């Protein structure tokens, strides 16, 4: 995943440029044409939600729209679709909202922090775990999503301790997985950038070589 993130941010390093010169010199001229970011951002930018409809109804559902707006999903949904196109998959979680009991708490999660167990026969998630490090309190934290409850855990060095529990009793794990370019029996998806990584390296290498050549060999003057 870190490789895909580097390409999206335009921070990848060319392994071979084609010039015998000090690396410091080559890095000064290295140019990255960020094709992967265009491949991800343009489709996401064009996605616009119009309305919600429940199965069997032709009318827009105001309750679903209200839950959407209560969770600011106009701003969060593009992050979900963007991460799915970068990493191949991402996750959205649903939980109890103690600050606003009238609406569920819907959150787009970081796919690099998530692991899931998928029941292939039923084609659904049977358990999910979010694991991350709290840089403020310098402890490891985790959220375990199960079919009947969600547990928040903390590990400060003395083993994992349960910090809080949400006994939602939904009968289903409150995690939705978004797969990009999904295929039967595969639960990781494919990054939208996969097809353009080699092209991006080729363009960056060509432009970098042209800049180094123009600066160090004065190609224009020699041609004239």
């Amino acid at each position: 995943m870190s490789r895909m993130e580097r390409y999206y941010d335009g921070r990848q390093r060319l392994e071979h440029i084609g010039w015998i010169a000090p690396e410091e010199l080559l890095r000064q001229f290295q140019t990255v044409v960020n094709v992967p970011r265009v491949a991800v951002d343009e489709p996401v930018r064009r996605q616009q939600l119009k309305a919600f409809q429940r199965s069997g109804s032709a009318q827009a559902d105001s309750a679903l729209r209200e839950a959407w707006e209560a969770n600011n999903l106009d701003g969060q949904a593009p992050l979900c679709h963007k991460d799915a196109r970068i990493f191949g998959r991402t996750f959205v979680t649903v939980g109890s909202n103690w600050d606003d009991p009238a609406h569920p708490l819907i959150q787009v999660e970081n796919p690099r922090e998530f692991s899931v167990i998928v029941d292939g026969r039923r084609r659904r998630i049977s358990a999910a775990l979010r694991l991350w490090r709290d840089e403020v309190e310098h402890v490891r934290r985790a959220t375990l999503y199960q079919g009947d409850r969600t547990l928040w855990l903390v590990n400060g060095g003395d083993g994992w301790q349960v910090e809080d529990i949400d006994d939602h009793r939904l009968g289903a794990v409150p995690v939705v997985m978004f797969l990009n370019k999904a295929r039967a029996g595969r639960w990781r998806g494919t990054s939208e950038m996969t097809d353009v990584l080699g092209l991006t390296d080729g363009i960056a290498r060509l432009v970098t070589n042209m800049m180094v050549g123009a600066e160090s060999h004065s190609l224009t003057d020699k041609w004239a």
Side-chain angles (χ1 to χ4, degrees):
M1 285 189 175
S2 59
R3 176 172 179 256
M4 293 301 180
E5 188 172 32
R6 288 198 304 271
Y7 270 89
Y8 178 80
D9 291 338
R11 294 184 289 108
Q12 74 272 22
R13 295 174 60 89
L14 296 178
E15 298 298 331
H16 174 67
I17 295 180
W19 287 84
I20 300 176
E23 182 177 355
E24 294 77 11
L25 173 64
L26 296 178
R27 296 306 171 192
Q28 290 178 8
F29 293 100
Q30 180 174 328
T31 302
V32 175
V33 180
N34 205 327
V35 180
R37 182 178 296 176
V38 176
V40 169
D41 285 358
E42 283 306 311
V44 172
R45 188 176 292 114
R46 296 171 187 175
Q47 289 181 302
Q48 294 183 354
L49 178 71
K50 298 298 184 182
F52 288 98
Q53 289 179 313
R54 293 184 187 270
S55 178
S57 174
Q59 302 298 320
D61 192 291
S62 59
L64 293 178
R65 167 62 76 173
E66 183 179 338
W68 174 277
E69 293 177 351
N71 285 276
N72 187 31
L73 291 180
D74 280 325
Q76 292 291 305
L79 303 181
C80 169
H81 299 305
K82 182 180 294 186
D83 279 350
R85 283 175 165 81
I86 293 174
F87 301 114
R89 69 176 185 175
T90 193
F91 302 89
V92 173
T93 59
V94 182
S96 301
N97 191 343
W98 292 294
D99 295 328
D100 183 10
H103 301 102
L105 182 62
I106 305 173
Q107 179 68 39
V108 177
E109 303 290 353
N110 185 343
R112 293 166 296 177
E113 299 174 347
F114 249 83
S115 296
V116 295
I117 298 175
V118 178
D119 185 336
R121 185 167 67 88
R122 295 183 174 86
R123 291 178 298 174
R124 66 184 185 187
I125 296 174
S126 56
L129 177 69
R130 181 192 174 208
L131 185 65
W132 77 102
R133 178 169 179 78
D134 188 332
E135 297 298 341
V136 176
E137 299 185 12
H138 304 289
V139 295
R140 298 179 68 194
R141 295 187 179 275
T143 308
L144 178 61
Y145 301 88
Q146 298 176 322
D148 57 349
R149 62 180 183 172
T150 298
L151 293 85
W152 287 269
L153 305 103
V154 60
N155 186 343
D158 299 326
W160 290 101
Q161 304 292 330
V162 176
E163 198 172 38
D164 203 353
I165 299 177
D166 179 9
D167 289 311
H168 52 72
R169 303 186 185 279
L170 292 175
V173 178
V175 176
V176 178
M177 178 166 57
F178 288 77
L179 291 175
N180 189 59
K181 297 183 178 179
R183 297 180 63 184
R186 300 186 182 183
W187 305 103
R188 289 201 170 274
T190 302
S191 172
E192 199 72 29
M193 305 187 303
T194 301
D195 296 336
V196 299
L197 296 185
L199 174 64
T200 301
D201 286 344
I203 295 173
R205 187 177 299 112
L206 175 62
V207 174
T208 301
N209 284 340
M210 292 174 63
M211 293 180 64
V212 173
E215 182 70 20
S216 61
H217 289 74
S218 300
L219 296 181
T220 305
D221 294 340
K222 289 187 177 183
W223 179 85

